[in-house]
Amino acid sequence: MANKTQEVGGIHFPFPFTPYSIQKDFMAELYRVLEAGKIGVFESPTGTGKSLSLICGALSWLRDFEQRKHQEEARLLETGTVPLSDGKEQPLTLSSSCKETPDTPRPAGEPDWVTQFVQKKEERDLVDRLKEEHVRRKKREERLRQIRHSAQLKYAAKRVRQEEEEMERLLCLSREMLAAGAEAEPQEPLVSGEEELVLAEYESDEEKGAARGVDEDEDDPEEEHVTKIYYCSRTHSQLAQFVHEVRRSPFGKDTRLVTLGSRQNLCINDDVKTLGSAQLINDRCMEMQRSKYERNRAEEEKPKRRRQEHRAACPFYGYEQLQLLRDQVLVGVKDIEQLVALGKEARACPYYGSRFAIPAAQLVVLPYQMLLHAATRQAAGIRLQGQVVLIDEAHNLIDTITGIHSAEVSGSQLCQAHSQLLQYMERYGKRLKAKNLMYIKQILYLLEKFATVLGGNIKQNPNTQSLSQTGTELKTINDFLFESQIDNINLFKVRRYCERSMISRKLFGFTERYGAVLTPSREQPRLAGFQHFLQTLQPTVTETPVSPVEEGEARLPRPASPLMHIESFLAALTTANQDGRVILSRQGSLCQSSLKFLLLNPAVHFAQVVKECRALVIAGGTMQPVSDFREQLLACAGVEAERVVEFSCGHVIPPDNILPLVICSGPSSQQLEFTYQKRELPQMMEETGRILCNLCTVVPGGVVCFFPSYEYQRQVYAHWDKSGLLARLAVRKKIFQEPKKANQVEQVLAEYSRCIKCCDQAGGTVTGALLLSVVGGKMSEGINFSDNLGRCVVMVGMPYPNIRSPELQEKMAYLDQTLPRGPGQPPPGKALVENLCMKAVNQSIGRAIRHQKDFASIVLLDQRYARPPILGKLPAWIRDRVEVKATFGPAFAAMRKFHREKSVPS
């Protein structure tokens, strides 16, 4: 693809083709935001090339920034001095490791000679650091150049891997021979002193180096984190699409890009991958690393001690392999699938190889959760200080942060964790130190009190415990702690103990090894298998000894330890009292009841990201209404209004390629207002069916109709079937329904697409298909209904959230208390409800119009859409063209004219 460099405002933006004018504006504004270190909220409708605009705009800024930095670095190295900032130009911050400059203020009253001496020393130190960084960068560039242009290194690495595999094969044969010999003829006892004559187990220097692992190599100091761009999105498929766009951009050949993912997506160890659960894969991976280090340490410290049996270490976690993989990752742009394939070829772990590539990377691509959760960020080695953060597909950013930092535990999990921990203490109590016992007893006490506050008994089966009180109760964190009688326990210390002792992982290992469960009566048979334990829980402990699961016994896939979920809940309880609430849900039995922590202030976690990074860009196709981001995230995170820049561009389609209509009444003059009270009336459902019947006669191809909920869609479908409207619709369009199960979505979409294509070719009375979908469901986000797949999008009613939800009510009350109310504006709580509704609408209607030559009509069936405050929350490119039709006749005439003109071949 040709590189067509564009110059906008004196800045050169390489682009794979001639960009739209709105793309030029987007890149120029993005460049200014990054250069000034501001926070940008960018909206660019789907189909306008947002991803390429982000890539070319951001990487053009990074190119210029690096060029200026290297020029300044060369000047400083040449002169060996650092200019003082006496009101003139400030020196550049050259890297994250060079954070101090000679401009650091000295204490008042210091003699001049002391000040000058310290200043000169700082100048020399800075120049020395620059020299070290310069040497490291040159080494890295040479290393990557060799990998990029020479296949010899790859062949050498492959030969080493083959030698290792051959050595492992021979070792296995030797062990088998030894084992066979031991069975046939027992070893003769050694005479006193004869032990010294027997060879100790041998390890070569290379094997010892590999056993020491990655973190202990002395000749490879930690590489500085170069200035980089962190790009994050919601799903792995969106990240893969972004990587594909980078590859086809003019920056694709020279950008050092790293894609990060979870162990579940990147692990290449088949023994670990088969565990299935993300939590179990994480735990087994970390356990295998610990096993490697502990075994090596034990053998070094006590060489004569009889060896214990250890779990096998991971063969893909070796220093040399990971260093080679790190460099190969940085050469060329690779998505997750390519990274996994590269890891398999190099016999090196892609999960760790990608992390070791972060410091030298220019562009790091990662999922939301990895960036927005502080502990995950730290574990992955992500440093945001002075870096650029781009958050794409950010329309649901607030909900994502809230979800990541909320936690829920069921009564069943409380009882399971209590039973397991009690058995663990019974078995190993005499081996544990006093502090371990103290904290275990505190955790047991917490679990007991959590069950009690729900109205249950921790020592009884949660499945058979009926609760006297049912319903939902909402409490502040402090009130919950007092009512649970745990306000005297330092939860910060308990949380730290759980993290450092890894008690939940130990407990999971214990329940995995000892599958049998203790029962309250000696007469009852012992329950074999952990799965059975989860189904029929009897937590009371007796003196019956537990025994390990037999070697040959088949093991079912095990769920993660319930204590892991409870640790998340305990961590959430350390949130400030005003920023969260605890929801007690009592549902008849203890098993079905739960405790849930609800985060009310997502800004408390987002503030750290905003504080650390140099610049932040929040981008999406439908960001309206933007007020949520400004008020709930940025203002509450302490961002000044002057630092926030908003950018919204129109669509690339001609104005007459879209027809947005608000229809206030149907063919029989029934007023359209789909409130909770009216939408289930037979006349409302029939009027909706009549409107669709009329639309389907004039709209070619596909019609996508969105309903507020699955239940309402089911009710309407059943009513149409009974009244005959369904049969009338089927004359013109084949009818499809959105499935509830995610694994059926692809099949339905394929059949829907195939039907439209066949009808277009065959002609006849059936002109396409009608897809009945649900707002917030599988079809309302991330699905592409371009061209004939979505010639008309219909929105039935306004998808307001359930106002009776205790969680929503608490969130509304919180916003009313914390956010200021503007003049003439609704209360912040009410604005939240409207914004949630319109965000869902904007996402759904954005499924159509996917490129410049596309065309579609958008029909909003509800007279409430005609209100100015609601119209104002639509995307600008729709809002500016919307037509409000009080009656159905003019609306139908406009639809017929629009599709008749657009369907004529040009």
Side-chain angles (χ1 to χ4, degrees):
M1 191 175 289
N3 176 10
K4 297 183 181 285
T5 301
Q6 301 295 313
E7 184 171 341
V8 183
I11 304 165
H12 294 276
F13 293 103
F15 214 76
F17 48 81
T18 303
Y20 304 128
S21 60
I22 60 173
Q23 289 180 308
K24 293 180 184 179
D25 296 341
F26 188 108
M27 291 188 291
E29 188 64 25
L30 176 63
Y31 192 104
R32 286 191 286 268
V33 166
L34 301 188
E35 183 67 16
K38 296 199 171 185
I39 294 173
V41 182
F42 281 66
E43 182 180 50
S44 180
T46 303
T48 56
K50 170 172 59 70
S51 295
L52 267 177
S53 301
L54 278 171
I55 291 164
C56 296
L59 290 178
S60 293
W61 172 84
L62 185 62
R63 172 205 61 201
D64 294 347
F65 178 85
E66 287 180 342
Q67 189 176 2
R68 292 196 306 271
K69 189 185 88 167
H70 292 160
Q71 288 172 352
E72 179 74 1
E73 178 184 296
R75 190 183 65 77
L76 293 177
L77 288 173
E78 184 180 351
T79 61
T81 59
V82 182
L84 297 174
S85 61
D86 51 357
K88 298 180 182 179
E89 183 182 354
Q90 292 280 350
L92 291 173
T93 302
L94 297 172
S95 80
S96 58
S97 63
C98 301
K99 292 179 184 175
E100 292 185 13
T101 68
D103 309 318
T104 306
R106 307 247 60 86
E110 266 191 0
D112 290 342
W113 68 270
V114 173
T115 303
Q116 291 173 5
F117 175 80
V118 172
Q119 183 178 305
K120 289 289 185 185
K121 184 177 184 305
E122 287 179 346
E123 289 179 8
R124 289 194 300 271
D125 290 345
L126 176 57
V127 172
D128 289 343
R129 285 198 298 270
L130 287 175
K131 288 178 179 176
E132 291 172 6
E133 290 183 12
H134 182 75
V135 170
R136 279 200 294 265
R137 189 176 72 249
K138 289 297 181 184
K139 282 184 178 179
R140 181 185 67 233
E141 290 172 356
E142 176 61 21
R143 202 170 60 236
L144 298 183
R145 187 192 66 78
Q146 288 180 356
I147 290 176
R148 184 179 285 113
H149 298 295
S150 173
Q152 189 175 355
L153 285 174
K154 293 182 182 178
Y155 291 140
K158 190 172 183 180
R159 189 172 62 250
V160 170
R161 290 195 300 274
Q162 289 172 344
E163 289 175 359
E164 289 174 351
E165 289 170 1
E166 179 64 15
M167 180 68 74
E168 185 63 31
R169 188 181 69 81
L170 293 173
L171 278 172
C172 286
L173 286 173
S174 300
R175 292 190 190 104
E176 289 172 5
M177 289 172 61
L178 286 171
E183 291 175 5
E185 186 176 342
Q187 293 182 0
E188 294 181 11
L190 296 176
V191 181
S192 177
E194 201 175 0
E195 296 93 341
E196 297 177 3
L197 302 177
V198 181
L199 286 169
E201 184 167 342
Y202 173 75
E203 274 189 326
S204 66
D205 292 340
E206 291 87 353
E207 290 167 327
K208 286 181 180 178
R212 276 198 297 270
V214 173
D215 301 322
E216 298 186 23
D217 185 76
E218 297 174 359
D219 299 326
D220 191 27
E222 184 181 3
E223 194 170 8
E224 88 281 3
H225 282 241
V226 302
T227 301
K228 60 175 57 56
I229 296 166
Y230 285 99
Y231 171 90
C232 63
S233 192
R234 289 181 56 251
T235 65
H236 283 291
S237 61
Q238 289 168 342
L239 295 175
Q241 178 62 31
F242 179 82
V243 172
H244 173 72
E245 293 287 346
V246 174
R247 190 183 294 122
R248 65 189 281 259
S249 78
F251 296 92
K253 290 183 179 178
D254 301 320
T255 300
R256 299 191 301 274
L257 181 146
V258 176
T259 302
L260 302 183
S262 63
R263 286 182 175 89
Q264 196 171 22
N265 286 299
L266 291 175
C267 180
I268 58 174
N269 187 326
D270 291 334
D271 293 337
V272 178
K273 282 179 67 177
T274 52
L275 293 171
S277 161
Q279 186 65 59
L280 299 188
I281 290 174
N282 290 343
D283 294 340
R284 181 60 53 84
C285 174
M286 297 178 73
E287 183 183 348
M288 293 176 87
Q289 289 178 54
R290 286 198 307 274
S291 170
K292 190 172 193 175
Y293 297 143
E294 289 168 1
R295 178 176 60 191
N296 187 66
R297 195 183 310 117
E299 290 171 357
E300 286 182 354
E301 292 175 359
K302 300 182 180 179
K304 294 185 181 180
R305 182 180 173 184
R306 191 168 70 86
R307 297 195 177 166
Q308 297 178 354
E309 189 177 338
H310 291 270
R311 188 184 293 275
C314 183
F316 303 103
Y317 189 79
Y319 177 76
E320 290 183 0
Q321 303 121 288
L322 287 174
Q323 294 301 299
L324 178 62
L325 180 61
R326 174 200 65 184
D327 293 340
Q328 289 179 329
V329 165
L330 292 171
V331 175
V333 173
K334 300 172 183 67
D335 59 23
I336 278 191
E337 286 73 21
Q338 292 170 318
L339 183 58
V340 169
L342 195 63
K344 288 178 178 177
E345 183 186 346
R347 291 190 60 78
C349 175
Y351 178 79
Y352 285 102
S354 60
R355 273 151 184 72
F356 297 147
I358 291 175
Q362 295 168 305
L363 180 57
V364 180
V365 179
L366 68 166
Y368 267 9
Q369 290 79 355
M370 203 169 284
L371 182 99
L372 298 173
H373 191 264
T376 308
R377 219 168 41 236
Q378 184 179 2
I382 294 168
R383 299 181 187 175
L384 298 182
Q385 192 69 44
Q387 310 293 15
V388 169
V389 174
L390 305 181
I391 302 177
D392 201 1
E393 302 299 333
H395 54 272
N396 59 356
L397 180 60
I398 295 174
D399 293 338
T400 300
I401 298 172
T402 301
I404 290 172
H405 296 93
S406 296
E408 184 172 13
V409 292
S410 67
S412 179
Q413 288 173 328
L414 293 172
C415 289
Q416 291 166 19
H418 187 275
S419 172
Q420 293 171 11
L421 194 55
L422 198 58
Q423 293 179 66
Y424 179 87
M425 190 178 71
E426 287 287 324
R427 181 161 184 83
Y428 300 120
K430 293 180 181 178
R431 296 173 178 266
L432 299 175
K433 301 292 184 184
K435 269 200 174 180
N436 276 317
L437 280 175
M438 179 192 75
Y439 278 111
I440 287 175
K441 287 180 178 178
Q442 282 191 347
I443 296 170
L444 287 169
Y445 177 79
L446 289 170
L447 297 174
E448 182 178 349
K449 290 302 179 182
F450 289 158
T452 303
V453 81
L454 282 173
N457 187 330
I458 198 74
K459 296 179 181 178
Q460 295 177 9
N461 190 328
N463 298 303
T464 58
Q465 284 190 65
S466 297
L467 304 184
S468 57
Q469 182 183 354
T470 59
T472 302
E473 195 176 357
L474 216 136
K475 294 185 176 295
T476 65
I477 298 173
N478 287 345
D479 287 346
F480 173 75
L481 297 179
F482 281 117
E483 185 173 329
S484 303
Q485 299 177 358
I486 59 172
D487 53 296
N488 59 329
I489 291 181
N490 188 327
L491 293 179
F492 290 93
K493 287 188 174 182
V494 174
R495 174 187 179 182
R496 197 177 308 121
Y497 172 78
C498 290
E499 290 172 355
R500 294 183 179 177
S501 68
M502 294 180 286
I503 178 65
S504 61
R505 295 191 180 104
K506 301 281 187 185
L507 191 59
F508 176 76
F510 170 71
T511 55
E512 186 183 40
R513 179 173 175 79
Y514 294 95
V517 179
L518 307 179
T519 56
S521 170
R522 289 182 183 273
E523 286 72 27
Q524 288 182 302
R526 193 165 58 204
L527 304 178
F530 186 60
Q531 288 295 100
H532 200 177
F533 163 56
L534 293 181
Q535 296 165 8
T536 315
L537 184 66
Q538 298 287 351
T540 308
V541 178
T542 67
E543 297 176 359
T544 309
V546 290
S547 60
V549 176
E550 294 298 325
E551 276 303 314
E553 184 179 341
R555 290 172 181 255
L556 294 171
R558 307 196 187 286
S561 165
L563 190 58
M564 293 174 187
H565 295 282
I566 293 158
E567 283 182 8
S568 301
F569 183 69
L570 289 174
L573 290 180
T574 61
T575 305
N577 183 58
Q578 69 272 16
D579 291 334
R581 297 290 184 269
V582 180
I583 303 170
L584 290 78
S585 177
R586 302 181 179 96
Q587 301 294 328
S589 71
L590 182 59
C591 178
Q592 299 169 319
S593 302
S594 64
L595 298 172
K596 181 178 181 180
F597 174 82
L598 173 66
L599 180 69
L600 295 177
N601 182 16
V604 73
H605 296 285
F606 195 62
Q608 189 177 356
V609 175
V610 174
K611 182 181 178 182
E612 291 181 4
C613 66
R614 170 199 174 96
L616 172 71
V617 173
I618 302 170
T622 50
M623 297 296 289
Q624 295 294 333
V626 177
S627 57
D628 282 1
F629 298 101
R630 273 189 170 276
E631 295 166 4
Q632 294 184 46
L633 268 190
L634 302 178
C636 290
V639 177
E640 296 176 355
E642 297 76 26
R643 195 185 171 197
V644 181
V645 175
E646 288 183 26
F647 175 86
S648 180
C649 62
H651 214 294
V652 293
I653 59 169
D656 58 352
N657 273 26
I658 181 175
L659 178 64
L661 297 176
V662 174
I663 300 180
C664 301
S665 63
S668 62
S669 301
Q670 171 70 47
Q671 288 296 307
L672 301 177
E673 190 170 357
F674 292 86
T675 60
Y676 285 113
Q677 295 79 18
K678 297 179 181 178
R679 69 184 190 185
E680 294 180 10
L681 296 173
Q683 58 266 35
M684 288 294 290
M685 293 190 278
E686 287 167 15
E687 194 76 332
T688 306
R690 283 191 285 268
I691 291 171
L692 281 176
C693 282
N694 280 278
L695 296 182
C696 287
T697 62
V698 297
V699 178
V703 177
V704 184
C705 180
F706 286 100
F707 291 87
S709 67
Y710 282 103
E711 177 58 26
Y712 187 57
Q713 182 206 15
R714 187 194 64 77
Q715 288 180 354
V716 171
Y717 188 89
H719 185 82
W720 289 350
D721 190 24
K722 189 182 296 183
S723 66
L725 277 167
L726 203 62
R728 284 177 56 192
L729 280 168
V731 171
R732 284 291 186 176
K733 304 285 183 186
K734 185 174 180 181
I735 300 170
F736 295 86
Q737 291 187 80
E738 177 180 322
K740 276 193 173 183
K741 293 182 179 178
N743 59 1
Q744 298 174 350
V745 171
E746 289 297 329
Q747 180 186 349
V748 172
L749 283 175
E751 292 177 2
Y752 171 76
S753 176
R754 196 181 307 116
C755 173
I756 292 170
K757 188 175 181 180
C758 291
C759 292
D760 187 44
Q761 293 171 348
T765 55
V766 178
T767 60
L770 170 63
L771 178 59
L772 305 179
S773 304
V774 176
V775 175
K778 316 292 185 304
M779 309 289 187
S780 64
E781 188 174 336
I783 303 296
N784 183 350
F785 292 111
S786 64
D787 300 319
N788 265 356
L789 295 182
R791 289 303 182 201
C792 179
V793 176
V794 181
M795 180 66 60
V796 178
M798 298 187 69
Y800 280 106
N802 181 7
I803 197 70
R804 297 198 246 340
S805 161
E807 298 177 26
L808 181 58
Q809 288 181 349
E810 193 65 24
K811 179 78 173 180
M812 291 169 64
Y814 173 80
L815 294 179
D816 286 341
Q817 292 170 7
T818 56
L819 296 183
R821 180 178 178 180
Q825 297 295 319
K830 184 180 179 184
L832 169 70
V833 175
E834 284 190 352
N835 289 348
L836 289 172
C837 169
M838 292 309 295
K839 279 183 184 293
V841 169
N842 293 341
Q843 275 300 302
S844 299
I845 62 180
R847 297 309 90 213
I849 308 288
R850 311 297 286 191
H851 57 84
Q852 189 179 23
K853 295 182 180 180
D854 206 354
F855 67 89
S857 54
I858 296 170
V859 178
L860 305 175
L861 297 182
D862 199 306
Q863 63 183 8
R864 292 174 291 175
Y865 282 112
R867 300 205 310 255
I870 298 298
L871 284 175
K873 296 180 189 296
L874 288 169
W877 63 280
I878 295 177
R879 180 176 65 238
D880 296 342
R881 305 170 191 177
V882 72
E883 299 177 25
V884 178
K885 303 294 184 181
T887 58
F888 185 73
F892 181 72
M895 286 284 290
R896 182 170 52 195
K897 181 175 182 293
F898 174 81
H899 285 285
R900 183 179 295 165
E901 292 175 354
K902 291 300 172 186
S903 299
V904 175
S906 55

